[in-house]
Amino acid sequence: MLSIISTTNNPYFNLATEEYLLKNKDEDVFYLYRNAPSIIVGTHQNTIAEINYDHVKEHNIPVIRRLSGGGAVFHDLGNLNFCFITNVEKNTAESFKEFTKPILEVLNQLGVEAIFSGRNDLTIDGKKFSGNAQHVSKNRILHHGTLLFSSNMADLSKALKVNPLKFKDKNVKSVKSRVTNISSHLPQPMSIEYFVDAIAKHITGSSHSSFYQLNETETNTIQQLVDNKYDTWDWTYGKQATYGFTNAIRYSGGTIEYHFNVKNGSLEDLRIYGDFFNKEDVHVIEKKLVGTKHELEAIKDQLKDLNLEDYFIGIDVDTFVKGLF
């Protein structure tokens, strides 16, 4: 087994590395990494319905789609991510327990009574600290999971707090759970760096693995995967973007209601209602935006040649566009 500890906190690069290792290595792999604040959504999810869009944009939080299923999660430097990649003949529900077993062994050795719970969670006193997911490619399986060690729970809550009334779709929704940090249950204080080291040593010792460092050619290939896939709107937002959306805003000139569908990431059937005053027909705005990506800058660009005050007296572009998210 190759043991790799990431040297970057870039979430795009770390997720792309998982795919690279899955599809380009024959050996078993164990990969550890920490990400800067970011939101990671499951492959079957409607991304925009999983995030607090205003909060994410205000704080420039990266949002990335991963290969595996399951729900959306918030990463920060207080969270450790582990990944096992191995050959497999048959994927079963029991494999979740098998891959998380060494993690539980480390925690038990550190004095934390953690257990496997439900389909894919690790818990302490009934509170979740680890969610796990899997992806299969040919005869290879990727199993990865989060380990909340000292994450900022307030940031986690704000980033994933969504108004469910805005969206109507059939995509997989995240299941909210009571969560906890591992650090709160340790008998002695410990840094996350020490925790990373404890995990790495246990895995390498029990699997007779050797530490491996990605070479320049590999990192260049991974960066290409970032540029062409993981850091693109089409992958993160467009992949599962088929849904209905309803919202309303109040501004100084009145109220505006937005009703539209999104298909393959683009706006359809846009209808705008409200008690606002106008000089020009709002159907011009509706027609102008149909076919536009449901993405902030794309919509602003589409409206740049129009004077919105002709259609909604007293409004500015930022206020109008905000209602579309």
Side-chain angles (χ1 to χ4, degrees), residues 48 53-54 57 166 245 247-249 251 256 258 260 267 270 272 285 289 292-304 306 308 312 315-325:
I48 201 168
Y53 193 85
D54 292 340
K57 285 297 180 183
K166 288 184 178 182
F245 182 96
N247 194 27
I249 64 168
Y251 74 108
I256 300 176
Y258 307 79
F260 58 86
L267 275 66
L270 174 62
I272 299 173
I285 302 293
L289 292 180
T292 305
K293 286 181 178 180
H294 193 197
E295 191 268 328
L296 192 72
E297 295 306 321
I299 292 173
K300 283 186 176 181
D301 186 66
Q302 194 70 0
L303 296 172
K304 65 183 180 182
L306 297 177
L308 275 185
F312 312 94
I315 206 167
D316 58 75
V317 174
D318 288 337
T319 300
F320 175 78
V321 172
K322 184 177 180 180
L324 290 159
F325 294 90

Side-chain angles (χ1 to χ4, degrees), residues 65-298:
R65 186 183 299 280
R66 63 177 183 267
L67 284 177
S68 63
V73 291
F74 178 77
H75 288 181
D76 64 10
L77 293 177
N79 172 69
L80 175 64
N81 303 283
F82 68 95
C83 172
F84 287 100
I85 300 172
T86 186
N87 295 325
V88 63
E89 294 182 3
K90 184 178 180 181
N91 186 29
T92 67
E94 288 299 311
S95 66
F96 277 89
K97 286 187 177 181
E98 293 172 14
F99 285 116
T100 56
K101 182 180 177 181
I103 303 299
L104 292 175
E105 289 174 349
V106 175
L107 290 169
N108 292 160
Q109 291 171 7
L110 294 175
V112 178
E113 295 184 10
I115 63 170
F116 184 89
S117 176
R119 293 185 312 154
N120 59 341
D121 297 337
L122 302 182
T123 62
I124 303 170
D125 295 335
K127 294 181 179 180
K128 177 179 174 178
F129 68 88
S130 173
N132 292 259
Q134 295 182 347
H135 174 76
V136 176
S137 176
K138 298 180 180 179
N139 66 326
R140 300 272 281 173
I141 185 171
L142 180 155
H143 176 109
H144 53 189
T146 56
L147 293 171
L148 296 175
F149 186 82
S150 55
S151 285
N152 188 319
M153 296 301 185
D155 286 350
L156 184 156
S157 177
K158 291 175 183 177
L160 298 177
K161 185 178 181 181
V162 185
N163 180 355
L165 299 178
K166 288 184 178 182
F167 297 91
K168 294 180 180 179
D169 63 52
K170 297 180 180 179
N171 295 94
V172 177
K173 299 293 190 298
S174 298
V175 178
K176 307 304 178 186
S177 305
R178 290 191 305 157
V179 294
T180 190
N181 275 317
I182 294 168
S183 59
S184 300
H185 303 271
L186 290 166
Q188 300 293 333
M190 179 187 303
S191 69
I192 191 168
E193 290 78 13
Y194 185 95
F195 181 64
V196 171
D197 190 55
I199 295 283
K201 286 181 178 178
H202 181 77
I203 299 298
T204 54
S206 60
S207 61
H208 306 291
S209 64
S210 57
F211 284 102
Y212 179 81
Q213 186 169 351
L214 297 168
N215 59 46
E216 184 177 358
T217 300
E218 290 173 319
T219 57
N220 289 338
T221 301
I222 294 167
Q223 186 58 50
Q224 290 177 8
L225 190 56
V226 171
D227 296 337
N228 296 327
K229 181 176 181 178
Y230 284 90
D231 193 10
T232 66
W233 183 92
D234 285 339
W235 169 250
T236 295
Y237 289 94
K239 184 173 183 288
Q240 296 292 340
T242 299
Y243 48 89
F245 182 96
T246 301
N247 194 27
I249 64 168
R250 179 178 292 276
Y251 74 108
S252 60
T255 59
I256 300 176
E257 293 182 15
Y258 307 79
H259 301 266
F260 58 86
N261 293 316
V262 170
K263 185 175 182 180
N264 298 325
S266 298
L267 275 66
E268 289 189 347
D269 308 318
L270 174 62
R271 294 293 181 268
I272 299 173
Y273 307 99
D275 61 2
F276 51 86
F277 296 101
N278 61 301
K279 292 185 285 186
E280 301 291 343
D281 191 343
V282 296
H283 292 314
V284 173
I285 302 293
E286 295 171 342
K287 292 178 181 179
K288 183 81 170 173
L289 292 180
V290 167
T292 305
K293 286 181 178 180
H294 193 197
E295 191 268 328
L296 192 72
E297 295 306 321

